[in-house]
Amino acid sequence: MLEPSHNNELPTIPGKRYFTIGEVAELCAVKAHVLRYWEQEFPQLSPVKRRGNRRYYQRADVITIRQIRSLLYDQGYTIGGAKQKLSSHEVKDDTSQYKQLIRQMITELEEVLDVLNAPAK
């Protein structure tokens, strides 16, 4: 798993509809117990809960978690400061968010291009 101070590059978010807490933990480079804690602290995070109280996160949740992670680990905000920043919608105007989304799209497009350019079997 990636440590916050070592590498800002997170894995590409797969094109799935729902993700388990373990998958989200890997995609966002945080532990599952941290995600459960953030759910209590950030009202923006509300994964779908199904039988057995299992959490299923959607793509928007994963992006929000990455924003929270960036605010806390990369930009040095406290939980309270990150809550304020998210609730005031300033993060939506933040260029780093757009850069992250653009990097994600470029990576996904390159993967599609690789598949298209692969020799037919």
Side-chain angles (χ1 to χ4, degrees), residues 29-92:
V30 294
K31 300 208 184 264
H33 71 271
V34 173
L35 292 173
R36 289 189 290 272
Y37 174 71
W38 287 353
E39 284 174 31
Q40 296 171 2
E41 295 296 322
F42 295 93
Q44 296 88 345
L45 285 182
S46 56
V48 177
K49 289 191 181 175
R50 299 228 173 113
R51 66 184 124 83
N53 237 7
R54 289 183 50 99
R55 293 164 168 80
Y56 291 94
Y57 296 85
Q58 295 182 20
R59 186 180 193 86
D61 294 322
V62 176
I63 291 170
T64 300
I65 291 166
R66 285 183 171 193
Q67 290 173 350
I68 292 169
R69 181 188 182 281
S70 175
L71 289 170
L72 296 175
Y73 296 169
D74 301 332
Q75 299 175 42
Y77 280 83
T78 62
I79 293 278
K83 274 192 217 181
Q84 268 187 331
K85 185 113 169 140
L86 281 176
S87 65
S88 68
H89 304 294
E90 289 178 38
V91 170
K92 291 186 173 141

Side-chain angles (χ1 to χ4, degrees), residues 84-102:
Q84 268 187 331
K85 185 113 169 140
L86 281 176
S87 65
S88 68
H89 304 294
E90 289 178 38
V91 170
K92 291 186 173 141
D93 297 329
D94 193 30
T95 57
S96 66
Q97 176 195 2
Y98 292 121
K99 287 178 184 176
Q100 178 182 357
L101 290 173
I102 289 169

Side-chain angles (χ1 to χ4, degrees), residues 6-23:
H6 292 122
N7 192 346
N8 285 337
E9 295 300 318
L10 295 173
T12 303
I13 302 171
K16 293 171 48 175
R17 186 173 174 108
Y18 293 104
F19 302 90
T20 65
I21 194 167
E23 291 170 329

